[in-house]
């Protein structure tokens, strides 16, 4: 049995499966409600049930008093619907709505995805979750007041573990540590979420997403969020790398292209190796975008990658009709690759 839930102020609707909390159901379907601990302790997810019945779940009375409960309030990270609901809840739609925090985390898994890309799986302390928008990044805090920025490669509905894609920069302060000394169970500290690179959901325009190398990480998060939310705008991903071996999660966008008719994937190799036997797109990724879309006046473009890629893309897309206020980008200038 499932129940329909409607947020009164926005009209957003989603469905909760049996025994699923309101918050879990909302996040699974790409509706970003405010939350923090997901444990019934902090009160961040508090909202009101306007009509319908819920099981309040277990929670700390400091987070929800008897009086609040009596006036219709509930903690949506704990509340399980017992009927269809209409609720009042705080929805997150902009980075400014989310507090930036410093948090410890533990390395749960190191997974080599390519010759120079490591996927790091991070878990927060018991009872803590990071609220963020798909596409944002965090700063890993290092000794000597140094920090390194990495985009979150996970969408908010899959926040049990955070995922980073780290490219090996020989001699790089953090990436060298990741590739040579880091072990599972190591502790790290980070600050986040940061940045304004996230999908503008109020628009219905077709979207072109352009990733360069590990710039795929935030784009992956944005796409997984868009798929979870059922966004049906045309989505076309271009992923530019040097050779076939650099397409480190190639199967994933290929699978999306099979599953979602509104999603297209074009990998672009700038220097395919002979053994690649590549008969796909070659050259620079911005040239591939323009070749397919000579008129960009009706599009939005989201790009993430190294500064030279962003600079070339910016020039090319604006010359082909894209208004500058519809180009959103995450240039890895914030120390993704610096030593
Ligand atoms: Fe902390 Fe619900 S998120 S009480």
């Amino acid at each position: 049995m499932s129940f329909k839930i409607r947020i009164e102020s926005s009209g957003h609707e989603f469905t909760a499966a049996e025994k699923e909390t309101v918050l879990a159901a909302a996040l699974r379907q790409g509706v970003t409600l405010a939350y923090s601990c997901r444990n019934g302790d902090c009160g961040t997810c508090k909202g009101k049930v306007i009509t319908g019945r819920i099981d309040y779940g277990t929670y700390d009375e400091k987070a929800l008093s008897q009086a609040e409960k009596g006036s219709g309030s509930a903690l949506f990270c704990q509340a399980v619907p017992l009927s269809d609901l209409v609720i009042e809840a705080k929805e997150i739609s902009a980075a400014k709505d989310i507090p930036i925090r410093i948090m410890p985390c533990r390395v749960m898994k190191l997974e080599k995805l390519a010759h120079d890309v490591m996927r790091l799986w991070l878990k927060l302390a018991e009872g803590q979750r990071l609220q963020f928008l798909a596409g944002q990044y965090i700063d890993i805090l290092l000794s000597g007041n140094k920090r390194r920025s990495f985009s979150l490669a996970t969408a908010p509905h899959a926040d049990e573990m955070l995922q980073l894609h780290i490219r090996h920069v020989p001699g790089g302060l953090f990436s060298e540590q990741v590739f040579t000394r880091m072990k599972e169970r190591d502790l790290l500290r980070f600050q986040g979420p940061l940045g304004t690179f996230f999908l503008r959901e109020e628009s219905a325009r077709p979207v072109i997403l352009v990733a360069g190398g590990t710039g795929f990480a935030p784009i992956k998060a944005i796409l997984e969020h868009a798929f979870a939310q059922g966004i049906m705008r045309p989505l076309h991903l271009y992923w530019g790398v040097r050779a076939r071996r650099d397409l480190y999660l190639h199967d994933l966008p290929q699978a999306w292209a099979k599953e979602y008719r509104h999603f297209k994937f074009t990998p672009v190799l700038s220097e395919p190796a002979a053994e690649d036997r590549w008969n796909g797109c070659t050259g620079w990724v911005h040239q591939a975008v323009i070749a397919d879309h000579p008129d960009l006046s009706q599009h939005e473009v989201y790009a993430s990658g190294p500064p030279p890629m962003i600079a070339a893309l910016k020039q090319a897309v604006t010359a082909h009709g894209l208004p500058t206020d519809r180009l959103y980008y995450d240039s890895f200038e914030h120390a993704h690759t610096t030593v």
Side-chain angles (χ1 to χ4, degrees):
M1 176 175 284
S2 64
F3 296 111
K4 219 176 2 161
I5 302 169
R6 181 163 61 82
I7 301 174
E8 192 179 51
S9 53
S10 66
H12 286 154
E13 288 191 345
F14 53 98
T15 309
E18 199 168 346
K19 299 201 173 132
E20 189 176 33
T21 66
V22 173
L23 177 66
L27 294 177
R28 178 170 59 76
Q29 287 152 88
V31 177
T32 313
L33 301 186
Y35 69 89
S36 180
C37 70
R38 290 183 79 166
N39 228 8
D41 289 335
C42 72
T44 310
C45 64
K46 198 182 300 170
K48 282 207 161 155
V49 176
I50 298 170
T51 61
R53 291 177 303 114
I54 56 165
D55 173 346
Y56 286 84
T58 42
Y59 57 89
D60 190 317
E61 279 220 5
K62 287 201 292 302
L64 180 72
S65 67
Q66 277 303 331
E68 288 174 310
K69 193 171 158 185
S71 66
S73 293
L75 298 175
F76 290 136
C77 73
Q78 300 300 306
V80 173
L82 299 174
S83 70
D84 290 350
L85 302 177
V86 177
I87 61 170
E88 210 174 78
K90 183 164 192 275
E91 281 183 274
I92 302 286
S93 58
K96 67 172 173 40
D97 296 337
I98 305 176
I100 296 167
R101 298 191 284 166
I102 291 182
M103 303 175 96
C105 63
R106 196 175 283 284
V107 176
M108 299 307 286
K109 196 154 81 167
L110 291 143
E111 192 184 355
K112 204 155 177 198
L113 296 176
H115 62 110
D116 64 347
V117 179
M118 189 77 85
R119 170 152 60 181
L120 218 58
W121 295 89
L122 306 175
K123 198 166 178 21
L124 303 189
E126 197 58 42
Q128 290 197 352
R129 293 293 175 103
L130 176 72
Q131 178 143 40
F132 62 97
L133 297 175
Q136 287 192 290
Y137 67 92
I138 57 171
D139 274 358
I140 300 281
L141 305 178
L142 304 166
S143 57
N145 264 338
K146 299 214 164 118
R147 51 176 66 215
R148 291 292 178 265
S149 306
F150 295 96
S151 298
L152 295 161
T154 21
H157 65 269
D159 69 344
E160 201 169 324
M161 277 205 253
L162 303 174
Q163 188 187 121
L164 310 179
H165 298 171
I166 296 173
R167 189 170 76 79
H168 190 194
V169 180
L173 183 64
F174 183 65
S175 82
E176 196 63 49
Q177 177 188 345
V178 170
F179 275 78
T180 59
R181 301 186 297 281
M182 188 170 279
K183 303 179 301 310
E184 287 176 6
R185 314 290 303 160
D186 279 1
L187 281 172
L188 296 171
R189 268 186 343 131
F190 70 82
Q191 183 177 40
L194 300 164
T196 55
F197 187 63
F198 54 85
L199 188 65
R200 280 24 182 203
E201 291 175 31
E202 61 287 357
S203 162
R205 296 180 184 280
V207 179
I208 291 172
L209 304 113
V210 187
T214 49
F216 177 63
I219 300 246
K220 169 182 177 289
I222 286 175
L223 284 167
E224 287 176 339
H225 172 73
F227 296 142
Q229 192 153 25
I231 289 172
M232 294 307 292
R233 298 158 68 181
L235 303 163
H236 192 159
L237 166 64
Y238 293 83
W239 188 3
V241 294
R242 187 168 293 166
R244 174 66 185 81
R245 66 177 190 161
D246 302 310
L247 290 169
Y248 57 85
L249 281 174
H250 191 218
D251 292 353
L252 186 63
Q254 279 189 321
W256 291 334
K258 280 199 192 118
E259 190 174 349
Y260 302 105
R261 285 178 53 198
H262 60 299
F263 173 75
K264 264 181 90 175
F265 172 45
T266 305
V268 186
L269 304 192
S270 62
E271 293 173 34
E275 67 268 23
D276 289 347
R277 283 190 222 95
W278 185 254
N279 50 21
C281 211
T282 55
W284 296 113
V285 69
H286 67 276
Q287 292 166 337
V289 173
I290 297 306
D292 289 348
H293 304 277
D295 177 6
L296 288 163
S297 57
Q298 301 307 314
H299 286 74
E300 279 175 14
V301 175
Y302 291 76
S304 170
M309 182 205 91
I310 300 287
L313 181 81
K314 220 187 221 177
Q315 204 178 31
V317 293
T318 50
H320 284 261
L322 184 84
T324 47
D325 63 349
R326 279 199 246 122
L327 170 63
Y328 306 98
Y329 58 89
D330 183 11
S331 175
F332 282 7
E333 269 147 333
H334 50 79
H336 281 245
T337 56
T338 51
V339 174

